[in-house]
């Protein structure tokens, strides 16, 4: 396969050329980033635009190329891992452009500052994004100046909504100016539709105007389409990634094939050990296509002509790892318990006087816990690397080509400009593929073997060497008054520091060393008016590497919050809906979602024996999601999921079908974790290493799912993750409604 060869399928994989800019130079001249916000108009002079252009294509701006045949190619800097960005992002540009959707295609964008995902910096009012602990303005500068492209935090539409709209609008104006001359009309009387410029009762195709466009004369402030005009925002257009996935032409990580390529399998140190002392492969094992053994700092890999031969050879390796503080769940559980009930911890939110309020009356308290969780992507970690003449090419399903570029360069001791990354489609990501471990290992193996290498982690390695969602224990205390309102709320969690763990692996220069405020995301503010409010975290280091998992901190925050709200409602003698609404602005977006989902989900219904309905509401990633779970549960041992109703307010809608699919997938993902998900460790090894012990939700366990999307004029919010957090608490509350028994520890299947 020649990555530079022309590719006519929608998923061409052009070379990603690294701009002449180093992450090590975090502060450079202001002129280097001039115009980054409108990079399609003013490109930084020392960071030239590097979007690949074929002979039959015209580059309109940094986001758009138009082919001589009328084909519209949109550059997408986000990873497609099933969430639909290869449709939603082109759809935004196509709306403003007036394109023919049948002619729209997509390419992965190269590494360049204009494609940097600045939404990962968080917002100016909430400086706890991916770069928590760094001032928002500084985080944006770091992201832009170092061309950090990363997919995560449900930020794809949030980050690129405005740039893509403006890029499409700028192209539309340029085409209208060119078309007006041909049609002999005023350009301001022209519009575009279905790939044509239309004016004076005439029309002319985009492709016919390419020679008349002056790309250097792009409008500085193009006019966006007025509300209610255009075709694609809010439309259920067909997804662009589906045809190639159906016919098999879509390229995932393990689909890459290179001349003279060999295969590798890997085994890493037990969790808590970071040193491989020695490893050897018996000579008798060097048969059946087995080539040899490669040692890494804390892993070893076997290499063979086929992957299966390499995998079998792993079991014949004699290896010793340095024994250190090996992960053990009993030890970790005890440490979390001790920390939770100690006086340690950092208070990050302290409003009102909680202790003074609690001294005035009875206090209700409850402890909750969630376990370590694996990402369990159906596509395990994989990467293919060719290293020749001091240069590396990397084919990898990744959520961040930038991080792969940097870490592979570091591992090989070469300049970043000598590493080219070819992102493939992802067979699941959920945060796991923001990590770079497989790419780094493949690079080291390729350098040692001196042949292109495809590394694929076997399932047991993938699950046993994950970067897990952290285990967390929480104690919540609350008090309600005679008006059936919460007057005091205190939450304390014990957990390791997620951001510190992740950054120490992939961006060590930005590791923060103790700032753990991010662990309280979703716990630091509630949609309910509570006069006295306190939230604290006590950090508990563990030998278990932890990472970003779908919905991250919100995955446990919603469980703690919304289960305890239900407990306080019972203590107040109120039903769950009325209790919540009494403490809310009933005209707020949150209240509207809550009322809508309660009505649709039949929360106040009754009459059936052993049937319970539970509600949960949570805001995350700029979106508000409410869910009602209905169960039939004669006992805790007999729980049948009957129906889940989900209502989301995600602001402006790009594609309703994608939103529904993401809500359905999120709910199933969250149910899997709530019912089955748990990773436990003994002597540095996880007890769960495959789907027999870490099961996914089965079709016969999956209930009917109904999704309703609220109409909203608010800015776009995320949709890939917000559907996960409310599932577990709504389910727990439904089980209580049916059985009178509280479930405070995940997963529930243990009952």
């Amino acid at each position: 396969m020649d990555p530079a060869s022309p590719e006519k399928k929608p998923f061409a994989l052009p070379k990603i050329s690294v701009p002449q800019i180093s992450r090590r130079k975090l502060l450079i001249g202001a002129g280097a980033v001039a115009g980054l916000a409108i990079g399609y108009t003013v490109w930084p002079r020392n960071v030239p635009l590097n979007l690949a252009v074929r002979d039959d294509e015209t580059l309109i701006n940094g986001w758009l190329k138009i082919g001589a045949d009328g084909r519209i190619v949109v550059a997408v800097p986000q990873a497609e891992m099933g969430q639909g960005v290869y449709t939603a992002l082109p759809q935004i540009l196509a709306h403003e452009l007036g394109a023919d959707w049948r002619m729209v295609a997509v390419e992965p964008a190269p590494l360049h500052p204009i494609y940097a995902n600045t939404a990962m910096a968080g917002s100016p009012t909430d400086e706890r994004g991916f770069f928590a602990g760094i001032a928002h303005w500084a985080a944006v500068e770091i992201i832009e100046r170092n061309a950090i492209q990363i997919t995560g935090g449900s930020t794809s539409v949030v980050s690129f909504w405005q740039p893509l709209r403006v890029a499409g609008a700028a192209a539309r104006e340029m085409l209208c100016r060119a078309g007006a001359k041909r049609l002999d009309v005023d350009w301001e009387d022209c519009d575009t539709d279905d790939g044509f410029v239309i004016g004076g009762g005439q029309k002319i195709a985009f492709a016919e105007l390419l020679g008349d466009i002056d790309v250097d004369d792009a409008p500085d402030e193009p006019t966006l389409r007025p509300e209610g005009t255009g075709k694609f925002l809010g439309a259920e257009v067909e997804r662009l990634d589906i045809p190639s996935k159906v016919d098999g032409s879509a390229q995932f990580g393990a689909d890459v094939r290179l001349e003279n390529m060999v295969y590798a399998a890997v085994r890493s140190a037990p969790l808590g050990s970071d040193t491989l002392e020695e490893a050897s492969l018996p000579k008798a094992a060097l048969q059946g296509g087995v080539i040899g053994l490669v040692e890494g700092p804390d892993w070893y890999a076997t290499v063979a002509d086929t992957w299966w031969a390499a995998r079998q050879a792993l079991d014949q390796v004699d290896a010793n790892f340095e024994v250190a503080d090996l992960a053990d769940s009993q030890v970790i559980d005890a440490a979390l318990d001790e920390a939770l009930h100690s006086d340690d911890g950092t208070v990050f939110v302290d409003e009102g006087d909680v202790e003074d309020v609690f001294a005035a009356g009875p206090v209700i308290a409850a402890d909750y816990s969630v376990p370590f969780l694996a990402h369990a992507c159906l596509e395990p970690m994989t990467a293919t690397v060719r290293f020749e003449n001091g240069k590396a090419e990397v084919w990898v399903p990744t959520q961040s080509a930038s991080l792969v570029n940097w870490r592979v360069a570091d591992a090989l001791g070469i300049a970043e400009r000598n590493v080219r990354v070819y992102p493939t489609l992802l067979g699941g990501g959920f945060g796991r593929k923001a990590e770079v471990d497989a790419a780094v290992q493949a690079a080291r193996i390729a350098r040692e073997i001196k042949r292109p290498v495809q590394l694929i982690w076997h399932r047991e390695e993938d699950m046993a060497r994950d970067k897990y969602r952290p285990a967390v224990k929480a104690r919540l205390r609350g008090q309600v008054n005679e008006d059936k309102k919460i007057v005091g709320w205190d939450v304390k969690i014990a957990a390791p520091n997620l951001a510190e763990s992740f950054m120490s692996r992939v961006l060590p220069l930005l590791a923060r060393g103790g700032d753990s405020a991010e662990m309280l995301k979703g716990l630091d503010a509630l949609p309910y008016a509570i006069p006295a409010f306190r939230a604290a975290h006590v950090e508990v280091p563990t030998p278990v590497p932890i990472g970003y998992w779908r919905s991250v901190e919100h995955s446990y925050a919603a469980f703690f919050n919304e289960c305890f709200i239900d407990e306080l409602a019972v203590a107040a003698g109120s039903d769950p809906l009325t209790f919540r609404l009494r403490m809310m602005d009933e005209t707020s977006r949150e209240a509207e979602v809550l009322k809508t989902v309660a009505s649709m989900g039949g929360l106040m219904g009754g009459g059936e024996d052993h049937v319970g309905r539970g509600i949960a509401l949570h805001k995350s990633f700029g979106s508000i999601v409410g869910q009602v779970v209905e169960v039939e549960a004669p006992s805790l041992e007999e729980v049948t999921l009957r129906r889940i109703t989900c209502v989301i307010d995600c602001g402006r809608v790009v594609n309703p079908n994608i939103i529904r699919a993401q809500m359905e997938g999120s709910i199933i993902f969250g149910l899997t974790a709530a019912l089955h998900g748990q990773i436990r460790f003994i002597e540095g090894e996880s007890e769960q290493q495959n789907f027999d012990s870490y099961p996914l939700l089965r079709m016969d366990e999956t209930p009917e799912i109904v999704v309703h999307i609220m109409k909203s004029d608010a800015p776009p919010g995320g949709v890939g993750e917000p559907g996960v957090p409310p599932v577990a608490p709504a389910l727990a509350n439904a089980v209580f409604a049916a059985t009178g028994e509280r479930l405070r520890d995940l997963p529930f299947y243990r009952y």
Side-chain angles (χ1 to χ4, degrees):
M1 168 186 158
D2 179 2
S5 62
E7 175 61 72
K8 294 185 179 180
K9 294 175 182 177
F11 296 102
L13 299 176
K15 291 183 178 178
I16 287 187
S17 301
V18 183
Q20 302 297 311
I21 183 171
S22 171
R23 75 187 189 287
R24 299 180 181 89
K25 299 177 182 177
L26 298 183
L27 295 177
I28 56 179
V33 291
L36 284 178
I38 51 171
Y40 40 81
T41 303
V42 182
W43 300 330
R45 293 295 181 261
N46 67 338
V47 189
L49 195 68
N50 54 352
L51 184 61
V53 182
R54 301 189 319 196
D55 291 341
D56 62 345
E57 293 175 333
T58 298
L59 182 65
I60 307 300
N61 54 52
W63 300 94
L64 172 65
K65 302 182 295 183
I66 300 180
D69 59 355
R71 186 169 181 258
I72 304 297
V73 181
V74 181
V76 175
Q78 298 297 91
E80 176 58 75
M81 46 191 170
Q83 83 280 36
V85 294
Y86 272 17
T87 298
L89 296 188
Q91 191 172 344
I92 297 169
L93 186 147
H95 175 84
E96 292 292 343
L97 178 63
D100 179 348
W101 188 250
R102 296 168 299 178
M103 299 299 290
V104 176
V106 60
E107 285 184 0
L111 294 180
H112 191 281
I114 71 166
Y115 307 120
N117 185 358
T118 57
M120 296 300 286
S123 69
T125 56
D126 178 12
E127 297 178 357
R128 280 178 288 163
F130 185 72
F131 293 88
I134 301 174
H136 179 261
W137 68 268
V140 170
E141 290 291 297
I142 290 170
I143 292 169
E144 287 184 334
R145 297 186 183 203
N146 293 275
I148 298 179
Q149 290 171 219
I150 188 166
T151 306
S154 294
T155 57
S156 293
V157 169
V158 174
S159 187
F160 298 105
W161 162 268
Q162 189 68 9
L164 286 166
R165 288 198 71 182
V166 177
R172 182 183 74 246
E173 287 195 14
M174 294 160 69
L175 286 162
C176 283
R177 289 179 185 274
K181 294 177 182 178
R182 294 276 198 99
L183 302 175
D184 194 24
V185 296
D186 189 326
W187 79 268
E188 292 184 327
D189 293 331
C190 294
D191 198 358
T192 56
D193 186 46
D194 281 340
F196 290 89
V197 172
I198 302 170
Q202 310 168 75
K203 65 180 182 179
I204 185 169
F206 290 172
E208 296 181 47
L209 298 171
L210 297 180
D212 300 332
I213 291 177
D214 183 0
V215 296
D216 293 325
D217 191 29
D220 291 331
E221 296 182 2
T223 302
L224 301 182
R225 288 190 182 278
E227 189 71 25
T229 64
K231 286 186 174 181
F232 297 124
L233 286 186
E236 298 179 345
V237 302
E238 296 178 352
R239 285 181 57 155
L240 298 180
D241 57 330
I242 297 301
S244 63
K245 289 177 177 177
V246 171
D247 67 22
S249 62
Q251 186 178 69
F252 291 84
D255 293 326
V256 174
R257 294 294 180 268
L258 303 176
E259 185 178 356
N260 200 33
M261 188 177 80
V262 293
Y263 299 83
V266 69
R267 183 163 291 156
S268 299
L271 300 181
S273 173
D274 60 3
T275 303
L276 173 64
E277 292 183 335
E278 60 179 351
S280 61
L281 184 65
K283 289 185 179 180
L286 296 174
Q287 56 184 341
V290 177
I291 295 170
L293 176 73
V294 176
E295 297 181 29
D298 59 352
W299 53 268
Y300 60 85
T302 47
V303 183
D305 289 339
T306 67
W307 182 82
W308 182 240
R311 171 66 185 91
Q312 288 182 305
L314 272 183
D315 296 331
Q316 300 183 58
V317 175
D318 183 15
N320 291 312
F321 292 96
E322 181 182 89
V323 176
D325 182 19
L326 297 181
D328 185 281
S329 284
Q330 289 188 347
V331 174
I332 294 172
D333 287 345
L336 291 172
D337 279 330
E338 181 181 356
L340 184 64
H341 297 96
S342 72
D343 294 329
D344 297 335
T346 302
V347 176
F348 288 100
V349 181
D350 195 3
E351 300 170 354
D353 192 331
V354 170
E355 294 303 332
D356 187 54
V357 170
F358 284 173
V363 176
I364 299 161
D367 289 359
Y368 294 85
S369 71
V370 298
F372 290 102
L373 291 175
H375 294 80
C377 304
L378 292 185
E379 174 195 46
M381 297 297 286
T382 181
T384 304
V385 176
R386 177 163 55 199
F387 182 60
E388 296 176 347
N389 303 317
K391 296 183 179 182
E393 296 174 285
V394 185
W395 291 259
V396 60
T398 179
Q399 290 177 239
S400 178
S402 302
L403 297 181
V404 169
N405 173 263
W406 299 347
R407 296 273 67 86
V408 167
D410 282 347
L412 297 177
I414 61 178
E416 293 155 15
R417 64 178 176 272
N418 290 329
V419 177
R420 283 182 171 173
V421 182
Y422 310 111
T424 69
L425 296 172
L426 282 65
F430 315 124
R432 178 63 177 98
K433 287 166 185 169
E435 305 279 350
V436 297
D437 35 3
V440 168
Q441 290 172 341
R444 290 179 180 269
I445 297 167
R447 180 179 60 183
E448 183 76 16
I449 295 296
K450 296 180 175 55
R451 291 174 63 179
V453 170
Q454 183 173 97
L455 170 68
I456 304 175
W457 287 23
H458 53 285
R459 177 59 60 189
E460 290 76 13
E461 181 76 9
D462 190 77
M463 196 167 286
R465 300 296 182 269
D466 204 341
K467 306 298 182 282
Y468 304 93
R469 199 285 305 274
V472 183
K473 290 182 181 286
R475 163 154 286 193
L476 288 94
R477 298 187 298 158
Q479 186 182 97
V480 295
N481 64 10
E482 58 186 13
D483 293 329
K484 299 183 179 181
K485 294 182 179 180
I486 302 173
V487 292
W489 179 283
D490 180 48
V491 57
K492 178 181 178 181
I493 65 168
N497 188 333
L498 191 160
E500 177 71 15
S501 180
F502 176 84
M503 287 294 186
S504 66
R505 291 190 299 273
V506 300
L507 286 171
L509 292 176
L510 298 178
R512 293 181 288 282
D515 180 1
S516 64
E518 191 174 7
M519 296 302 297
L520 290 170
K521 274 187 176 179
L523 290 163
D524 56 353
L526 299 179
Y528 314 110
I530 302 174
F533 187 98
R534 184 169 61 194
H537 170 235
V538 53
E539 185 173 344
V540 183
T542 75
V544 179
I546 55 176
Y548 293 96
W549 186 90
R550 192 174 189 177
S551 75
V552 205
E553 298 88 359
H554 296 279
S555 66
Y556 56 79
F559 177 60
F560 301 156
N561 289 340
E562 289 295 291
C563 287
F564 193 55
I565 285 285
D566 254 44
E567 295 205 41
L568 295 180
V570 171
S574 177
D575 68 83
L577 177 62
T578 303
F579 184 70
R580 286 170 167 84
L581 289 174
R582 188 177 288 117
M583 298 177 291
M584 301 176 74
D585 173 0
E586 291 204 36
T587 65
S588 67
R589 294 169 67 195
E590 289 86 349
E592 290 300 321
V593 168
L594 189 67
K595 289 183 285 187
T596 301
V597 76
S599 175
M600 292 182 62
L603 181 69
M604 307 308 293
E608 295 182 77
D609 291 339
H610 311 304
V611 172
R613 297 176 185 88
I615 193 169
L617 176 78
H618 193 73
K619 180 178 181 179
S620 60
F621 309 99
S623 295
I624 304 155
V625 177
Q627 293 176 7
V628 170
V629 173
E630 179 181 307
V631 302
E632 183 177 357
S635 69
L636 290 179
E637 291 74 31
E638 304 172 86
V639 177
T640 301
L641 293 166
R642 302 209 318 186
R643 189 171 188 260
I644 296 180
T645 304
C646 174
V647 173
I648 179 172
D649 180 346
C650 58
R652 292 291 303 276
V653 170
V654 176
N655 189 316
N657 275 344
I658 290 177
I659 296 171
R660 291 189 196 97
Q662 284 300 290
M663 290 301 101
E664 292 166 355
S666 295
I667 287 168
I668 292 171
F669 191 91
L671 284 176
T672 292
L675 295 172
H676 305 304
Q678 178 178 231
I679 294 288
R680 295 190 62 80
F681 305 97
I682 298 177
E683 296 183 351
E685 295 291 340
S686 65
E687 294 184 73
Q688 295 76 23
Q689 296 195 359
N690 213 318
F691 292 121
D692 57 341
S693 53
Y694 195 87
L696 304 182
L697 196 72
R698 302 189 309 267
M699 289 183 68
D700 64 343
E701 295 178 299
T702 304
E704 176 189 5
I705 299 174
V706 177
V707 177
H708 174 72
I709 304 167
M710 300 284 284
K711 291 184 178 180
S712 177
D713 294 327
V719 299
E721 298 172 274
V724 174
V727 179
L731 173 56
N733 294 339
V735 171
F736 173 79
T739 67
E741 299 285 345
R742 285 289 177 194
L743 303 179
R744 299 190 180 99
D745 304 289
L746 294 177
F748 298 148
Y749 77 83
R750 68 181 69 179
Y751 296 97

